Amino acid sequence: MTMPLVLLNRRRRGGGFNPATLFALNEPGVWYDPSDLTTMFTDTAGTTPATVGTGVALLLDKSKGLVLGPELVIAGQWSFSTGATESPLGTLNLPASGASAQQANRVASGRTYRVDFTATGSGTLNVHIGDTAAGAVDFSVNTSGTYSRLIACDAIGTAIQFRSAGTSGFVGTVSNISVRELPGFHATQSTPASRPTFARIPASGRRNILVGTATLATQTRVVTAAQHTLSFRGTGTVTLTGASTSGPLVGTGANDIVSLTFTPTAGNLTLTVSGTVNDAQLELGAVRTAYQLVGATTFDVTEAGQPDLWHLSFDGIDDFLVTPTITPGIDKAQVFAGVRKVSDAVSGMLLEHSSGSSNSGIIAVNAPSAVSAGANYRWVSRGTSTAEAVSANSFAAPITNVLTGIGDIAGDNATLRVNGTQAAQSTADQGTGNFLAYPLYIGRRGGTSLPFNGHLYSLIVRFGPNLTSDTIGPTERWVANKTGVVIP
Amino acid sequence: MTLDTTTIALPPSMTDPNVNPETAPIWLDADGNEYLVASGQLDEPLDEDGNPIPYVTSDPIEAQPDRLNVVVGMDGLSALAAMGLTVKEVEAE
């Protein structure tokens, strides 16, 4: 078939490429896209969308299209206890504490379901997806209302159950019941302190270290012992104390920009504001640069003329996400990640499909790796033996890169690409077998160690046949576009 | 929930609703005392009447082994450094 020249050119640049094509044959894996604001939530039930500066408890996987599966609840097929009935068809009547209705063999472990229903009555109504044991309640409601929740199925059990609690249980009706699978390996974090923060920075990077800069309020910032420049518009005054007593900087008019260059000692710099101070900026260097608007948190930075780069910020302490178990069923894997590595001080586990390096059938990406003590990245592909591709120490943090990991156990190939160029390769024997069934940990090994300190702009993990350069290139350029990296 | 980053260093003998002892990393002060650490945009604990108790930065800022240590408004790693803490151990890759 002859393809029009215009279309050929577009394909070469990656224009129109959709990562969903990587999963067209239902390949196991994940595609996380923080630039898609509909895929992040501040609760694991998926009820409250994340906003800039909030912790992300649920990150939806787009690899399966985020299209709800068929209805799993079938009217007229409930089984009942303690006087529960279905009347009219599709409406459950729970007349007393302990009454329940359930449908067996409807859900499966490791999958996520959207559960919708309307409760009319009073008392505690418990919803079970999977395990129906009394202690395995997935969701409870205590007031009448219409509810919608995402619930990951328990490790055991296959049932859908609505049950009035044993004490002060729900008495009333449950109607408009729907349970449908939301396919994909959605990543979650149940501990609030361990949630990565949803954030945006301009493609030019962050320079303004203040917060609430539109109308500045008194604040204290940590500064280094280097030259800084403070600037703002307005008629107010900013007085410095702590790490510097230079100034004060006095405004001269609503539209006049004034600036002060100074060198503080390292430590806390307090900026005391009086009067009106707008569009304030404190940055490293002796020159005032283009103004960056910083919102109520340091995670919300924008700049006129610069595209927003949406990302998850991992704090290098305790942040991580984890998926349900992913069963690859193949010995080939590809990873594409847009990252900003903030520090090289200690090894960080950007991702690991497993909870530790001694397990067989795993992949992992370190950013950085301690193996060479440094400014690097590391890609691991392991069957029963480990092959690691460690880049040269030429990627000193802070740095933003597109990382590609290619793993092939039988083919003894572990290749690491950085910004579209091969950075390391190992042909060491990886042993035998497929990549095995594990959760995917993002940001921390097993949720307990090696915390990643940096930003994640995009992440694609695919377990499937090796990709050709015709696919790797467009995928890298797609990720690069989300990351603020230019790949020719 | 506050949008300020709050960082907590908790002696293991104490509890805080935002510190998960199963997953919290352990950091050490200069005397070798251990602290369970948490950092992020945290929900404030509630008092007996259900009212939030805001976290406030401890004074002095250096971590003490007989109290809940808190820094508000600073990124987590900077806060832990200001508290005089270092990570207990770095696991081999």
Side-chain angles (χ1 to χ4, degrees), chain A residues 6 16 23 40 55 64 72 91 95-96 136 161 271 357 368 371 423 426 472:
Chain A
V6 172
F23 303 94
M40 292 167 291
K64 304 298 179 287
L72 299 174
T91 296
Q161 185 187 70
L271 299 90
S357 59
V371 168
S426 170
I472 292 172

Side-chain angles (χ1 to χ4, degrees), chain A residues 4-80:
Chain A
L5 184 59
V6 172
L7 181 55
L8 277 171
N9 287 337
R10 183 175 301 161
R11 289 187 59 171
R12 286 194 184 113
R13 290 197 305 268
F17 175 79
N18 186 339
T21 61
L22 298 171
F23 303 94
L25 299 178
N26 205 32
E27 291 90 340
V30 299
W31 168 24
Y32 299 123
D33 178 12
S35 73
D36 184 344
L37 276 59
T38 67
T39 64
M40 292 167 291
F41 299 86
T42 61
D43 59 326
T44 56
T47 61
T48 307
T51 56
V52 174
T54 60
V56 173
L58 171 65
L59 176 62
L60 297 181
D61 165 23
K62 297 172 66 171
S63 70
K64 304 298 179 287
L66 292 179
V67 177
L68 288 171
E71 180 59 62
L72 299 174
V73 171
I74 303 173
Q77 293 198 4
W78 296 95
S79 58
F80 304 105

Side-chain angles (χ1 to χ4, degrees), chain A residues 53-54 191 193 197 222 297 299 315 317-318 347 357 366 369-371 378 444-445 449-450 453, chain B residues 1 3 5 18 20 23-25 37-42 73-74 76-77 80 90-93:
Chain A
T54 60
T191 300
T197 305
V222 178
T297 84
F299 299 102
D315 66 2
I317 300 171
D318 57 354
S347 180
S357 59
N366 288 89
S369 164
V371 168
R378 174 178 180 249
R444 209 173 170 205
R445 164 171 285 170
S449 63
L450 303 181
N453 183 7
Chain B
M1 184 180 73
L3 289 178
T5 298
N18 279 304
N20 182 344
T23 61
V37 165
S39 182
Q41 288 67 49
L42 306 181
M74 189 183 294
L77 289 174
L80 291 168
V90 177
E91 181 181 346
E93 293 170 349

Side-chain angles (χ1 to χ4, degrees), chain A residues 68-72 112-116 150 178-182:
Chain A
L68 288 171
E71 180 59 62
L72 299 174
T112 300
Y113 298 89
R114 197 180 86 178
V115 180
D116 299 276
L150 288 178
S178 173
V179 178
R180 302 170 70 185
E181 183 183 357
L182 184 63

